[in-house]
Amino acid sequence: MKIVIVGPGAMGSLLGSFFSKSKEEVWLLDKNNDRASRINAGGISIEGVSGEWQVKARSTVNAKEIGEADLVIICVKSYDTREAALAAKPAIGAKTRVLTLQNGIGNVEVISEVVGAEKVIGGVTNLGATLIEPGKVRHAGKGETIIGRIDGKITAELRSIREVFIKSGLETRISKDIKGALWSKLIINAGINALTAITRLNNGRLVEFDGTRKILREAVAEATKVAKRKRIKLIYDDPLAKVEAVCEATAANVSSMLADVLRKKRTEIDYINGVVVRQGQELGIPVPINSVLVDLVRTIEASYSREVKR
Ligand code: KPL
């Protein structure tokens, strides 16, 4: 299968490496020329739970070089989704499918606007990946990937994508209710990401302190209320128990939002807790804790240059 990964960050590079190792034709589509050249020259090195290994990689900033792909996987930050889908367009033909494996809610809709809903597949992954430097990734955790179409149809293309993931060593299943899976992941991210970014703690620490435990509980309860009112069917029964279990299972992780804050980068707050706030307000559901989390993370983002230095 000819696979284009848009966004060679931690997750994009990890996925590309697994597909390359399994002899799929992999292209990385980047917007950064230097990084693309570096990856072309040095390949991608992986360390962590799958051991230490390396693959060669083909990276470009120009999708016209690639030709028509079978699968495009969007792995960029949610605020870059439209730009990523537009950049990949020259590689998207009538038979190409475009899969999003990003955090947050709203990516399926944005990609659908650019390439047409018929081509889009939603997805969530519990794989853990941390970028050490461009082309160097720590595979921090194994985990299931769930893919599915918004219309719930299980098509031949969807099945062959799942087969390629499984053949490459990535545990994957198809869901007829990908919206439920996306909201289930959103609730986990809403409970963990902003709190870790504000406190600068690893995921596991959030359940060790009374203060963070209490805020996590409230943030999850609000997000769950919004999901329930929207009649979203979550893939777990007890959201709080699930989020706390993810904290324990990923205890040593630096969440993606904390990683952004540590690098003084824009975060995905608007696509995570921001979604809970906007949809809660539309539905008349009080969301004070998520609002405070959004305001604090936005303040952190806006004030990187004004931090007090000791
Ligand atoms: O998805 C994650 C993230 O960091 O974005 C979690 C599940 C919180 C793991 O770190």
Side-chain angles (χ1 to χ4, degrees), residues 103 125-128 185 188-189 192-193 196 203 246 250 253-258 268 272:
N103 271 342
T125 184
N126 292 317
L127 281 168
K185 181 81 194 292
I188 294 171
N189 291 131
I192 298 177
N193 291 31
T196 54
N203 297 355
V246 173
T250 63
N253 268 37
V254 170
S255 82
S256 55
M257 198 173 286
L258 174 54
E268 295 185 296
I272 300 178

Side-chain angles (χ1 to χ4, degrees), residues 260-278:
D260 289 337
V261 165
L262 293 175
R263 287 196 208 107
K264 301 195 189 302
K265 280 181 55 182
R266 184 172 169 189
T267 73
E268 295 185 296
I269 191 72
D270 287 341
Y271 301 85
I272 300 178
N273 304 80
V275 171
V276 176
V277 171
R278 285 193 301 278

